[in-house]
Structures are given as C-alpha cells and as structure tokens.
C-alpha cells in the first residue's frame, strides 16, 4: 500500500476543499491515487463542498457563548440569509460557539476541535453540512475574552436564534464586586459597543496607521498655520477623535450625560469594588468581505441572447 504523506493530504484538500481526515481516508481507500481519491470524495458526496468553495459566503451568523468567566464570539458564514434561518445551520453554529470557548480565539485550532456527538472535527462537520444543505459555508473567525474574577457581559444584535445574530459583542469586566450588578452593566455596555463600534479602548490603543491618517487630515485642513499652533490643533483634534471612537472616552449611550469611564465608576460603587474594563470584542457579520454584485439586467439579457 502506498504511503499517505501529509503533503498528499494537503494537496487533495486544496484540490477539493474537503477536510483533512476525509482526504486522508480517500487517499487510503484509493492507494494514494489522487484522481481516484477525488472521485471517491465525489461519490461520498463530500466533494459538493469543493464545488461550492469559490462562492462568496458573506451571510450566516455571529454567535456568542459565555461560560463562567470566559466568553467567545464566532462568525460562521453561508452564502444566503435563507440558510442562516435554517435550524440545522443554527444548531451547528451553536455547537461551534461552545467549542470556541476552549479555542481561546484561535480559529485554526477551533476548526480541528472534535464536535461532540459527531465523528468529525469542526472543519469536516461544516463540510458535511455543506453537502447536506448545498451551500458554501465557512468558519471565518473567532475571538475570546476571560477574567480571573468578574464577569463577561454579552449582547447579540438582530438575534435570529438564541445567542446568534448579525452582531455579537462580549466585554470583560475584572472585579471582585457584586456579580449581579456587574452582569447587568456588562450587558448594557455590550449593547453600547454594538451601537457605537469603537476603534479601541483608549487613544493609545488605536492603530498607528489610523492615528496617522487622522493627524494628516487635521494637518491638511490647517495647512499654513505655524508649527506650534498646528501641533496644538492636531492634539485637540485627536482628543475629539478619542471621544467619538475610544470606548472609555465615548458618551455612554444609555445616559449621554456621562462617559463610559464615569459609568464604570458608578458601577464600581454599586458593586462594592473596583471595576476594570480589560477588553471587548465586537464582531459584525460579513464585515470586510467583498460581495460580488450581480448585474441582474445584464444576466437576463445574456440568457435571452441580447447584448
């Protein structure tokens, strides 16, 4: 029997888009014959996934899972919103979100984790679902937060299924204070993050390229002014930028008379202990994915023989 190498498995996976374990099984069943292995996968129905793999999957669900002092968010894409409303797809996403709690934000690790009640890892589990539903799907990304003592607040916007919707948010509140008070504030703060989409916690955490771009805009608007004046204008402008885009500086959406930092201080009093916001994750379905826009009129004309 031919030796099945990792390179062969990788090659078959790239050719078909099918999971590694199924590729290995196909090569073993066909004595290492690559083309025969492709046919073997097609016969098993798994190669349907490969045929769909070039389609843009920008719909789907963002799911949130929280267990104890750990929270995770995961985005699982499909081609259409119709599939996102499929109960089988929703159940699959729910299972994946639970596993994401242990993946610690590592998407590739998540894809290799075993799905309870299934003989497959997540990647193969998704490939099976592709074959069953007939639409391209992918586990696009995941992120996680945890605290040593405190709570993980969460919120799902445009919820389609329990814990899953169009936007998922988790926030990490480190505190030894009253957990009920922390949990309520955590939920409200997660809603705030969903609504305002902050760039970072604080100005010093904003990516350097973003700050450089903002500074360049301010300098261009005030070109010709003395250097010392321009420096003050840029510094003032960045403070304004922080109030609009940095979470701790933003006006609290549930009470615009205070900032998020001030709301945190009030929560600390209610909880009976200091509260520190150590991080947040906001994940919106399909952000950053370029969708192909179909020219419907041109497509109809082409089908009817028009020019």
């Amino acid at each position: 029997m031919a030796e099945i190498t990792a390179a062969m498995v990788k090659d078959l996976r790239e050719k078909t888009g099918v999971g590694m374990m199924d590729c290995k099984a196909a090569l073993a069943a066909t004595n290492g014959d690559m083309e025969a292995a492709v046919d073997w996968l097609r016969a098993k129905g798994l190669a349907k996934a490969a045929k769909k793999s070039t389609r843009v999957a920008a719909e789907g669900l963002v799911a949130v899972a929280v267990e104890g002092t750990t929270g995770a968010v995961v985005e699982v894409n499909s081609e259409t919103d119709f599939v996102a409303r499929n109960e089988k797809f929703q159940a699959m996403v729910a299972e994946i979100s639970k596993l994401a709690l242990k993946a610690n934000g590592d998407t590739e690790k998540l894809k290799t984790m075993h799905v309870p009640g299934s003989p497959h890892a997540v990647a193969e589990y998704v490939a099976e679902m592709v074959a069953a539903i007939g639409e391209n799907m992918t586990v696009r990304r995941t992120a996680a937060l945890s605290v040593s003592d405190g709570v993980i607040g969460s919120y799902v916007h445009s919820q389609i299924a329990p814990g899953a919707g169009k936007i998922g948010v988790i926030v990490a509140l480190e505190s030894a204070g009253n957990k009920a008070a922390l949990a309520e504030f955590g939920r409200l703060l997660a809603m705030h993050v969903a609504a305002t989409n902050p760039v970072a916690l604080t100005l010093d955490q904003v990516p350097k390229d973003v700050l450089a771009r903002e500074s360049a805009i301010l300098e261009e608007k005030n070109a010709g002014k003395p250097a010392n004046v321009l420096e003050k204008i840029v510094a003032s402008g960045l403070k304004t930028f922080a109030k609009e885009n940095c979470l701790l500086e933003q006006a609290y959406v549930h009470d615009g008379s205070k900032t998020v930092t001030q709301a945190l201080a009030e929560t600390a009093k209610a909880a009976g202990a200091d509260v520190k916001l150590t991080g947040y994750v906001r994940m919106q379905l399909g952000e950053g994915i370029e969708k192909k826009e179909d020219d419907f009129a041109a497509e109809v004309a082409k089908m009817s023989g028009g020019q």
Side-chain angles (χ1 to χ4, degrees):
M1 180 177 177
E3 179 186 0
I4 308 303
T5 67
M8 292 168 66
V9 174
K10 180 175 181 292
D11 189 23
L12 183 59
R13 185 179 186 182
E14 290 175 350
K15 285 178 180 291
T16 64
V18 176
M20 288 187 293
M21 295 306 293
D22 286 315
C23 286
K24 186 175 181 180
L27 288 164
T30 58
N31 200 30
D33 186 317
M34 192 64 66
E35 294 304 315
V38 172
D39 291 342
W40 187 90
L41 289 169
R42 290 181 61 193
K44 295 288 184 181
L46 295 173
K48 285 181 69 177
K51 291 182 179 180
K52 311 287 182 182
S53 63
T54 58
R55 297 183 185 175
V56 176
E59 297 294 338
L61 291 171
V62 171
V64 171
V66 176
E67 186 176 284
T69 55
T70 299
V73 188
V74 64
E75 179 180 1
V76 182
N77 295 129
S78 61
E79 291 178 50
T80 65
D81 182 60
F82 179 77
V83 166
R85 297 177 185 280
N86 180 296
E87 290 183 0
K88 288 184 178 180
F89 180 79
Q90 292 172 2
M92 178 186 75
V93 174
E95 287 291 338
I96 293 173
S97 69
K98 292 175 187 175
L99 291 172
L101 288 165
K102 298 179 181 179
N104 197 33
D106 188 330
T107 305
E108 292 309 310
K109 178 180 178 180
L110 176 59
K111 291 178 181 179
T112 65
M113 294 176 70
H114 177 257
V115 179
S118 167
H120 300 303
V122 168
E124 288 73 38
Y125 182 47
V126 173
E128 267 195 344
M129 192 64 69
V130 171
I133 294 180
E135 202 175 283
N136 188 28
M137 301 172 201
T138 181
V139 179
R140 184 185 178 206
R141 54 183 173 158
T142 186
L145 293 173
S146 62
V147 292
S148 58
D149 188 13
V151 301
I152 300 295
S154 66
Y155 173 69
V156 174
H157 186 66
S158 297
Q159 184 165 278
I160 295 173
K166 301 293 185 181
I167 300 174
V169 178
I170 53 175
V171 296
L173 298 173
E174 190 81 44
S175 177
N178 180 274
K179 298 303 184 283
L182 293 171
E184 175 58 17
F185 178 69
R187 182 182 67 83
L188 293 173
L189 185 58
M191 292 175 68
H192 170 102
V193 172
T196 64
N197 192 16
V199 174
L201 271 177
T202 59
L203 188 62
D204 61 0
Q205 292 181 17
V206 174
K208 290 182 179 180
D209 62 322
V210 175
L211 287 178
R213 184 170 65 248
E214 292 300 318
S215 297
I217 292 170
L218 289 166
E219 290 171 357
E220 179 68 25
K221 284 182 178 179
N222 296 278
K225 293 184 178 179
N228 62 324
V229 174
L230 187 59
E231 184 179 349
K232 291 179 180 178
I233 289 173
V234 170
S236 176
L238 290 180
K239 285 183 180 179
T240 300
F241 174 85
K243 289 179 181 179
E244 295 173 351
N245 297 281
C246 298
L247 179 53
L248 288 172
E249 299 297 323
Q250 287 180 324
Y252 189 41
V253 295
H254 303 289
D255 183 350
S257 68
K258 66 187 73 166
T259 64
V260 169
T261 293
Q262 291 170 331
L264 270 170
E266 290 185 1
T267 299
K269 289 182 180 180
D274 289 342
V275 181
K276 183 179 181 181
L277 173 59
T278 59
Y280 72 93
V281 174
R282 181 187 188 276
M283 199 173 284
Q284 183 167 341
L285 181 67
E287 60 189 346
I289 298 176
E290 292 188 13
K291 299 182 183 181
K292 180 182 177 182
E293 298 295 334
D294 294 323
D295 186 336
F296 184 68
E299 185 67 21
V300 171
K302 181 179 179 181
M303 292 176 66
S304 62
Q307 300 297 321

